[in-house]
Amino acid sequence: MENKNKNTKNDNKLKDIAKNIDKSIESKKESQTKKLSKSSIIQGSSKSGFPGQKKQIHLSLELLNKDYTFYEKASFSNKSIGSLKSYGYNTFHGLFKEINEDKIIVINQIKKPASSKMKTWPKISYFGIFDGHGGEGCSEFLKNNLLNYLIDNKNFPFDIKTGLTESFEKAEEEFFKLKCSGDIEHCDKSGSCALVSILFDNKIYIANLGDSRAIMSMNSGTKVKQLTNDHKPDNPKEFERVIKNGSKIYIDDNDDPHRDPSKLTFIKDKAELEKSKSNNKSNEEMIFRVYPSDLAVTKSIGDIKAKKKEFGGKQGSIINKPDIFIHDINSTDDFLVMGCDGIFDDLSNQEVSDAAWFVFKNLSKEKNYDIHELSQDACDIIMKFALEKQTSDNLSCIVIGFEGLEKFLKNKSTKEKVNNSINNFKKNHKTQTYK
């Protein structure tokens, strides 16, 4: 009986020890998760969710078909219109954020406005990615209103470049009127980058504001050209403009835009900027920001606290004037990829192009060479490629197909038909031996 009681006591002690060990392990796991979440979800960060972790990603059908919670397949076109042969587009809140501040819009044919006196309205397509920060108010506003300001502009569609610049300025003016009529506490303090592409008369007009990006694949993927510039504080041209305006650039190596200003490390000149950028290659968590706005971009719409002097901002540092790029569409252009920084902070231009080409080259037969469905899959595999790289940001992507891609798929289809005909002929006409 005594032995039995001893054994029971020993068993209870062992159980208590095991419970304490389990609690300790769970506590450590919870602590690590909190640290990881904190470094991943801080607003404005577009760095990888797991600092220092390099993961080899293989482009494959498995990657394209991989499921992510709440992820839905990209939308896509069902017909070609002039030089616009196809498109696929998608937006997703990502792995670490509950709210998607990105907004996306695709209009394959802008309707003729009632006020237009033109007898024949041209074929004009409109694509937009609005990467919001500090809330989704500004990006939602741009999605719903920017095109209307462009159509109402007196220069549209005869002078699209001027029309785009003026419509961006108008959009911010109207946003501030609508969303900030009183003191700062009652203002919508959100802001947004904007990347807009307009297809008109065999040209692409691209208006870029912020750190989204547009690239073009050419010559069946043998060339990839970046068509836009990222408006970030470490861009030498933007660095010089911001410094001349009286603002400062600092390195936020903790990805915390609300640090004590007296402890910030400011960059004095271009030489120091280049040195800092060189160091940044080995420290992916380093982010360049503008002071006093604390933004990681130098151009945006909204961000009233960064722009209005009465709210502590520096007028003229963060501006709403977009860069406008004009590209003549030709037969060697394959496709355009528009993406937010959640895509391009984790994928190079070449990786984005390679991901799309994996679909066009390897899945074309399976999709019966349908350029529309393939553009959908190309968009999705780019998104999932970024997700596998553990991007911590929202994701938005648009893939727009042109004549070069259409020709590639037609040639591939023709070769497949010829090969099938040859193989069928061989099967039906086996070599016969005559005596």
Side-chain angles (χ1 to χ4, degrees), residues 130-323:
F130 307 108
D131 181 353
H133 47 260
E136 55 186 329
C138 189
S139 55
E140 184 71 30
F141 179 85
L142 292 174
K143 175 186 174 182
N144 295 333
N145 296 284
L146 183 61
L147 178 57
N148 294 329
Y149 299 140
L150 178 61
I151 292 171
D152 291 342
N153 187 278
K154 63 178 186 277
N155 298 289
F156 188 79
F158 309 105
D159 182 358
I160 291 179
K161 184 176 180 179
T162 303
L164 279 166
T165 301
E166 291 182 358
S167 64
F168 273 55
E169 186 179 352
K170 174 78 171 174
E172 181 168 272
E173 182 185 324
E174 293 300 318
F175 178 69
F176 285 162
K177 279 183 186 177
L178 183 68
K179 300 291 185 176
C180 191
S181 56
D183 61 276
I184 190 63
E185 295 304 317
H186 297 91
C187 287
D188 185 330
K189 295 180 278 292
S190 67
S192 181
C193 301
L195 178 63
V196 170
S197 293
I198 293 176
L199 274 62
F200 171 55
D201 195 25
N202 287 321
K203 292 181 186 293
I204 307 173
Y205 297 82
I206 302 176
N208 183 47
L209 191 76
D211 56 4
S212 295
R213 188 182 298 176
I215 65 169
M216 179 72 80
S217 167
M218 301 172 170
N219 300 319
S220 299
T222 58
K223 182 180 178 182
V224 181
K225 183 179 180 181
Q226 183 171 325
L227 300 181
T228 59
N229 297 318
D230 301 344
H231 299 135
K232 294 186 176 184
D234 60 333
N235 176 324
K237 186 178 176 182
E238 287 300 294
F239 175 86
E240 189 173 23
R241 182 186 64 77
V242 169
I243 295 297
K244 278 185 178 179
N245 193 69
S247 291
K248 297 178 181 180
I249 306 296
Y250 69 93
I251 300 170
D252 181 10
D253 51 3
N254 290 326
D255 195 6
D256 180 5
H258 306 297
R259 291 168 63 195
D260 182 352
S262 64
K263 296 179 181 178
L264 298 178
T265 305
F266 294 108
I267 301 172
K268 298 174 185 176
D269 51 37
K270 280 188 176 181
E272 195 172 326
L273 173 67
E274 291 306 315
K275 186 179 178 181
S276 299
K277 286 170 69 175
S278 178
N279 294 336
N280 191 32
K281 289 177 182 177
S282 59
N283 182 4
E284 293 184 357
E285 293 311 294
M286 223 181 238
I287 293 176
F288 296 85
R289 295 187 186 274
V290 180
Y291 183 83
S293 71
D294 296 319
L295 290 173
V297 292
T298 55
K299 291 188 178 185
S300 71
I301 290 176
D303 292 309
I304 196 165
K305 280 186 73 176
K307 296 179 179 180
K308 298 289 186 180
K309 189 177 179 181
E310 59 267 35
F311 298 141
K314 185 75 175 178
Q315 198 164 354
S317 291
I318 310 297
I319 60 175
N320 61 29
K321 185 179 181 180
D323 287 342

Side-chain angles (χ1 to χ4, degrees), residues 3 8-9 45 50 53 96 103 109 148 151 216 225 238 271 289 309 332 342 345 372-373 395 398:
N3 288 335
T8 302
K9 285 179 181 178
S45 169
F50 298 94
Q53 185 180 24
F96 303 103
K103 305 301 170 187
Q109 174 60 52
N148 294 329
I151 292 171
M216 179 72 80
K225 183 179 180 181
E238 287 300 294
R289 295 187 186 274
K309 189 177 179 181
T332 65
D345 272 358
H372 306 289
E373 287 191 32
L395 295 174
I398 303 175

Side-chain angles (χ1 to χ4, degrees), residues 33 55 150 209 249 344 349:
T33 302
K55 186 178 180 183
L150 178 61
L209 191 76
I249 306 296
F344 286 104
N349 295 344

